[in-house]
Amino acid sequence: QVQLVESGGGLVQPGGSLRLSCAASGRIYSINTMGWYRQPLGKEREFVAAITSGSNTDYADSVKGRFTISRDNAKNTVYLQMNSLKPEDTAVYYCNAAVTTAVFSHLELWGQGTLLTVSS
């Protein structure tokens, strides 16, 4: 079974930093775009950042200059380095990936979500 497993959420003070990780596991042939979304309590899920297999990146305006997305293709892992965190960054963060499996099925996968709370 192909799946995404996230880690790294927690409680951080405003101005602090945190790194999220998301690893894909299972019988994977390749992974195209990987990304991060977030869902604040009571609000809709929103795009945060994405990175292609060629390492082209895209960011939401609200996180540009503060968040950095990266990936390790050998480990099928994507990271989100978050700096200068603000209370409005508080949300459940979800990993997303476009995966081609070993039997050439194309799947869009989501992680289980990890909670980031930015508060003093």
Side-chain angles (χ1 to χ4, degrees):
Q1 181 178 356
V2 181
Q3 61 180 352
L4 301 177
V5 178
E6 300 152 355
S7 60
L11 174 62
V12 182
Q13 291 188 342
S17 298
L18 198 69
R19 189 178 80 158
L20 304 180
S21 300
C22 172
S25 63
R27 298 183 65 198
I28 296 169
Y29 175 75
S30 65
I31 303 177
N32 192 354
T33 299
M34 303 184 81
W36 291 94
Y37 290 72
R38 66 187 182 186
Q39 187 167 17
L41 185 63
K43 297 185 179 180
E44 294 186 353
R45 191 174 298 188
E46 62 185 20
F47 170 76
V48 175
I51 184 168
T52 68
S53 57
S55 296
N56 293 311
T57 59
D58 189 23
Y59 295 93
D61 288 342
S62 59
V63 307
K64 281 181 181 177
R66 299 189 299 123
F67 290 10
T68 301
I69 189 170
S70 61
R71 64 190 285 171
D72 184 333
N73 291 327
K75 296 181 179 179
N76 289 334
T77 299
V78 63
Y79 305 97
L80 186 68
Q81 177 66 43
M82 303 180 291
N83 299 327
S84 302
L85 284 164
K86 305 175 181 179
E88 51 262 44
D89 294 318
T90 296
V92 177
Y93 283 72
Y94 295 92
C95 175
N96 173 270
V99 173
T100 299
T101 69
V103 294
F104 299 103
S105 296
H106 301 285
L107 305 175
E108 182 181 16
L109 300 179
W110 291 90
Q112 79 282 4
T114 186
L115 176 63
L116 167 67
T117 303
V118 183
S119 175
S120 56

